[in-house]
């Protein structure tokens, strides 16, 4: 997958420093990164904003925090809705957190993650409904098992992977729980 978005398939090679502006780095291995065509296109030639701040994370040199900064809010009012958001509740260095925000904005990651969440949600919902819970305690046991599996998967995907954030929210959200119980007629 594309390391910029972890959504699209890495089918292109992206020049971190644009080859037209920095031809001397055009074939430098540390200036090349596999990525999806959408990220490649959205990144474009622009590497700094008007304040001379980097717009995109350099995944060779920028060390991502090991704390959560990507969250999802689940709301339920006749329909279930997912809204991803960034938050610095874990006190990430402001300079790095601002770069993460610019990266997400430049690559339109919040809306791309929401689109993927909508696709994955049917699978998650069906996985819960297929359990045919006979009481709320059975739901709680199943959700706890999902959280246990989720915690093992975080080691591979990372805590800020869009799918990990969604799975955790579904297994721990009272809103999602109510949605499933309503679907089962509780």
């Amino acid at each position: 997958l594309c390391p910029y978005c972890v959504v699209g398939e890495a089918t292109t090679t992206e020049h971190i420093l644009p080859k037209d502006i920095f031809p001397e780095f055009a074939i430098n291995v540390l200036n090349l990164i596999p990525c999806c065509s959408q990220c490649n296109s959205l990144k474009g030639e622009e590497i700094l904003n008007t304040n001379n701040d980097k717009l995109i994370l350099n995944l060779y040199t920028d060390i991502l925090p090991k704390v959560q900064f990507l969250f999802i809010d689940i709301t339920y009012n006749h329909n279930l809705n997912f809204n991803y958001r960034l938050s610095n509740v874990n006190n990430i260095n402001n300079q790095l957190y601002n770069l993460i925000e610019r990266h997400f904005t430049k690559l339109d990651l919040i809306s791309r993650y929401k689109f993927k969440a909508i696709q994955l949600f049917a699978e998650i919902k069906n996985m819960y409904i297929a359990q045919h819970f006979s009481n709320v305690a059975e739901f709680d046991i199943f959700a706890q098992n999902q959280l246990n599996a989720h915690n093992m998967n975080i080691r591979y995907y990372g805590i800020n992977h869009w799918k990990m954030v969604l799975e955790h929210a579904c297994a721990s959200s009272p809103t999602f729980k109510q949605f499933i119980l309503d679907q089962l007629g509780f």
Side-chain angles (χ1 to χ4, degrees), residues 54 56-65 96 99-100 103:
K54 288 189 331 184
I56 301 289
L57 289 161
N58 181 325
L59 299 172
Y60 293 124
T61 60
D62 295 319
I63 299 172
L64 292 173
L96 177 58
L99 174 57
I100 291 168
H103 180 91

Side-chain angles (χ1 to χ4, degrees), residues 30 34 48 78 100 114 124 173:
L30 294 178
L48 301 174
H78 303 294
I100 291 168
K114 181 172 181 156
I124 293 173
S173 166

Side-chain angles (χ1 to χ4, degrees), residues 4 39 42-43 56 103-109 112:
Y4 283 149
C39 283
L42 288 169
K43 178 192 172 274
I56 301 289
H103 180 91
F104 270 68
T105 300
K106 181 75 172 160
L107 300 179
D108 193 28
L109 295 182
R112 292 168 67 190

Side-chain angles (χ1 to χ4, degrees), residues 156-170:
Y156 301 105
Y157 291 99
I159 196 166
N160 292 297
H161 187 283
W162 68 270
K163 183 178 176 183
M164 295 296 96
V165 173
L166 175 63
E167 287 178 356
H168 183 271
C170 288

